[in-house]
Amino acid sequence: QVQLVESGGGLVQAGGSLRLSCAASGRPLSGYAMGWFRQSPGIEREFVATINWSGEDKIYADSVVGRFTISRDNAKNMVFLQMDSLRPEDTATYYCAADFGALGAEVREGEYEDWGQGTQVTVFS
């Protein structure tokens, strides 16, 4: 099991940027595919982005393509989500998740075993 802690959320005006970080402890992240998901009140949690263990394979939700970038630093046991050109509809709690042993990037929420507590992102117009 790996423990995940997200940070970097906040309040930002539409068009602005935020960089979310996910710090892991307990196990090396190099053995995990990592993902970012988000959830707004009254809406099911949805996939945002995923990255495979090496960082070579990345997949994004259609709604964030060209605006969000996922990356990882296995040496520091961290994963990042750079969010640019933010929109009010990006407002949500963002969660970092880990899928142990996955060979590729993983979009299926049910495949992730470990989750962080989330960080709130609020975008105002």
Side-chain angles (χ1 to χ4, degrees):
Q1 187 178 15
V2 64
Q3 291 75 46
L4 303 172
V5 178
E6 303 94 337
S7 62
L11 184 66
V12 63
Q13 191 170 18
S17 298
L18 283 174
R19 188 189 193 213
L20 304 184
S21 298
C22 174
S25 60
R27 299 181 74 168
L29 271 188
S30 56
Y32 292 80
M34 299 297 296
W36 286 97
F37 293 78
R38 66 186 182 187
Q39 186 170 25
S40 301
I43 300 176
E44 290 187 356
R45 188 159 54 189
E46 65 174 355
F47 163 75
V48 175
T50 177
I51 187 168
N52 78 322
W53 68 274
S54 68
E56 295 178 348
D57 185 21
K58 304 174 185 181
I59 304 172
Y60 297 93
D62 289 345
S63 59
V64 306
V65 168
R67 301 189 299 121
F68 290 12
T69 303
I70 190 171
S71 62
R72 65 191 298 159
D73 186 337
N74 287 341
K76 296 182 178 179
N77 242 27
M78 296 192 71
V79 179
F80 307 97
L81 186 68
Q82 177 66 41
M83 305 188 296
D84 299 318
S85 302
L86 282 161
R87 305 167 180 169
E89 53 264 40
D90 295 318
T91 295
T93 300
Y94 283 72
Y95 298 90
C96 174
D99 178 10
F100 181 70
L103 296 178
E106 179 58 66
V107 302
R108 296 171 294 180
E109 180 178 342
E111 295 297 308
Y112 287 84
E113 299 95 358
D114 300 310
W115 293 80
Q117 293 301 305
T119 185
Q120 177 66 36
V121 171
T122 302
V123 185
F124 63 94
S125 57

